[in-house]
Amino acid sequence: MTKEMIVTPWEVKGNIDYDKLIAEFGVSKIDDQVMTRLRKHTGELHHFLRRNIFFAHRDLNFVLDEYEKGNKFFLYTGRGPSGGTHMGHLVPWLFTKWLQDKFGVELWFQFTDDEKFLFKKDLSLEETNRLAYENMLDVIAVGFDPKKTHFLVDSEHAGIMYKEAIKVAKHITFSTVKSAFGLTNEHNIGAIFYTAMQAVPAFLPSVIAKKEIPCLIPYAIDQDPHFRVSRDVLPKLGHYKPAAIQCRFLPGLGGMQEDGKMSSSEGAAIYTTDDAKTVKNKINKYAFSGGRSTLEEQRKLGGNPDIDVSYQWLTFFEEDDAKLKKIYDDYKSGKLLSGELKAILIEKLNTFLAEHQKRREKAKDKIKDFVYKIC
Ligand code: TRP
């Protein structure tokens, strides 16, 4: 049974059909021409691009045109602090760090404690604000340049953000919000207003610099409705339309369906603070396997990497193409067993997380270098 696909900023469910999303959302596929153009500036392409994990964009050519004329863009992304950080959250951040390094550009990072307070019944503003500071440790641990990275916390930077948000809000009707986000008469009025806040970092740096700077927003495709609305409104305020680059979702550990389609949000998540034993237990217990039911069958017929969550996760976290291909081939031929494939993923994640957790610990003293100071 395939399950109905739901992709909104507040709910992602069912079997994700990315081609359908491209058509429905009106984004462009990242094709060879765009990849070649990016490679001119970055040298080797990030494995997220090589593997189509970042798969779509809007106006990337515009941003590169300007860049080539000497008009640098800035990056903007964000996090809605509703809980701990898991591996899926890291995907756009790791890519954003790569873009920052390769292009030497500024990053504005928004923590939407207001959003999660407004949309989550059980979360207080104090709690979402606390979670914003927890999540900051993971963002810093990704390795962003403190001299070029600025954190905005919606409830705390309201003094500079609100003035801009109401200018955006004046151009958005309730009926636009209803159709773009599926919000209804029953939603609280803060939730209806919220998208105006998410638009602000796409042009606030231009307001501060008193000149127009192009903006590029990396995000998981579920956030697209916000930026569709922003792109309509910002030119009316004299700003550029923000450009964007969108990624797929990391599949949930238990989120593989029998028909080979992936669901993004099912099964346990791996949190950045999980210890090595927890990671091992979660993968062994929950990661959906594309293996056969008996050892004999597996050896004879081979497994199916295309529906195996451990293999799918390795496409996100094993950077080495040759290693990945060998794993794919060996699994398919029956040489590599499901337990062995899981062990490879466990080792990969635990090596990554050991480093991440060290940097996360050190990040505690660095928060003040990242939070934008209003002057
Ligand atoms: N709304 C996003 C979330 O729920 C957080 C966010 C704010 C964001 N601004 C962004 C995400 C820009 C990507 C890009 O997580």
Side-chain angles (χ1 to χ4, degrees):
M1 260 286 282
T2 57
K3 286 192 274 163
E4 191 203 350
M5 164 172 87
I6 299 174
V7 179
T8 79
W10 301 287
E11 189 179 21
V12 177
K13 241 175 46 192
N15 307 315
I16 313 298
D17 180 338
Y18 289 100
D19 285 329
K20 198 164 158 203
L21 285 181
I22 287 180
E24 266 178 24
F25 287 2
V27 293
S28 310
K29 246 187 187 156
I30 296 179
D31 57 16
D32 289 346
Q33 182 261 330
V34 178
M35 293 230 223
T36 308
R37 195 161 180 204
L38 276 170
R39 201 184 296 114
K40 257 198 352 221
H41 297 284
T42 63
E44 220 203 329
L45 286 180
H46 194 282
H47 67 283
F48 289 167
L49 286 166
R50 299 200 303 270
R51 298 181 193 158
N52 251 305
I53 288 170
F54 268 81
F55 71 107
H57 75 99
R58 291 176 199 276
D59 277 348
L60 202 54
N61 281 309
F62 160 73
V63 158
L64 293 174
D65 287 344
E66 290 300 307
Y67 185 80
E68 287 168 10
K69 286 188 241 161
N71 187 18
K72 271 197 183 179
F73 58 92
F74 69 90
L75 293 160
Y76 157 40
T77 194
R79 160 79 178 135
S82 55
T85 303
H86 61 58
M87 296 306 293
H89 297 131
L90 293 181
V91 170
W93 306 350
L94 291 166
F95 187 67
T96 302
K97 142 109 178 120
W98 180 79
L99 288 172
Q100 179 176 63
D101 288 350
K102 294 294 173 182
F103 289 94
V105 292
E106 305 269 320
L107 163 66
W108 290 76
F109 199 109
Q110 179 181 34
F111 293 87
T112 59
D113 55 348
D114 56 345
E115 174 190 14
K116 294 301 157 178
F117 167 63
L118 289 165
F119 281 90
K120 299 262 171 182
K121 245 206 335 270
D122 300 331
L123 288 179
S124 66
L125 186 56
E126 289 66 34
E127 182 61 2
T128 59
N129 185 256
R130 187 190 70 76
L131 287 166
Y133 281 83
E134 262 313 292
N135 294 166
M136 279 180 196
L137 301 176
D138 291 297
V139 176
I140 294 170
V142 163
F144 294 108
D145 179 349
K147 290 191 202 71
K148 290 196 165 127
T149 305
H150 316 281
F151 290 174
L152 296 169
V153 183
D154 284 0
S155 71
E156 296 171 17
H157 291 84
I160 51 172
M161 296 181 75
Y162 184 68
K163 272 203 315 204
E164 305 306 325
I166 56 176
K167 293 176 197 167
V168 175
K170 199 169 178 177
H171 291 279
I172 306 175
T173 64
F174 185 22
S175 92
T176 296
V177 169
K178 279 183 181 170
S179 70
F181 302 101
L183 298 186
T184 65
N185 285 352
E186 281 61 51
H187 278 89
N188 71 65
I189 61 174
I192 293 156
F193 173 77
Y194 167 72
T195 194
M197 285 299 281
Q198 190 156 325
V200 170
F203 65 96
L204 186 66
S206 298
V207 173
I208 292 170
K210 298 192 171 70
K211 65 166 201 244
E212 289 308 307
I213 313 169
C215 170
L216 174 63
I217 319 174
Y219 54 86
I221 189 77
D222 62 307
Q223 294 297 311
D224 197 63
H226 284 298
F227 300 116
R228 245 155 33 221
V229 173
S230 306
R231 282 168 55 84
D232 282 344
V233 174
L234 268 49
K236 296 180 184 160
L237 303 176
H239 305 297
Y240 291 126
K241 275 184 195 228
I245 183 160
Q246 295 99 355
C247 67
R248 297 167 192 266
F249 311 113
L250 179 69
L253 286 181
M256 196 65 68
Q257 320 284 310
E258 272 159 35
D259 58 6
K261 299 239 175 87
M262 263 182 272
S263 170
S264 64
S265 55
E266 268 150 70
I270 304 277
Y271 288 90
T272 57
T273 49
D274 283 349
D275 62 24
K277 207 169 140 225
T278 306
V279 170
K280 182 174 173 194
N281 290 340
K282 282 185 182 172
I283 300 289
N284 281 332
K285 184 161 174 204
Y286 297 110
F288 182 89
S289 167
R292 305 278 172 174
S293 36
T294 66
L295 183 72
E296 291 74 51
E297 271 190 70
Q298 172 89 12
R299 286 282 186 222
K300 203 168 105 208
L301 303 168
N304 183 356
D306 298 318
I307 63 163
D308 188 287
V309 169
S310 299
Y311 177 77
Q312 294 304 320
W313 274 48
L314 284 169
T315 67
F316 284 77
F317 299 113
E318 174 53 70
E319 296 172 28
D320 186 327
D321 290 345
K323 261 194 204 165
L324 189 69
K325 179 166 188 318
K326 185 161 171 18
I327 293 167
Y328 186 93
D329 292 342
D330 287 352
Y331 193 57
K332 223 174 165 148
S333 74
K335 195 166 156 199
L336 190 69
L337 301 176
S338 296
E340 294 166 333
L341 174 56
K342 286 192 176 194
I344 295 172
L345 175 64
I346 291 163
E347 162 73 22
K348 190 82 214 170
L349 290 177
N350 279 335
T351 307
F352 174 89
L353 284 175
E355 287 306 309
H356 183 87
Q357 286 165 6
K358 269 190 234 157
R359 289 193 301 266
R360 193 180 189 280
E361 198 49 44
K362 288 193 196 133
K364 291 181 177 159
D365 302 326
K366 296 187 185 155
I367 288 181
K368 58 183 178 319
D369 303 332
F370 284 87
V371 176
Y372 182 68
K373 285 173 209 61
I374 303 171
C375 39

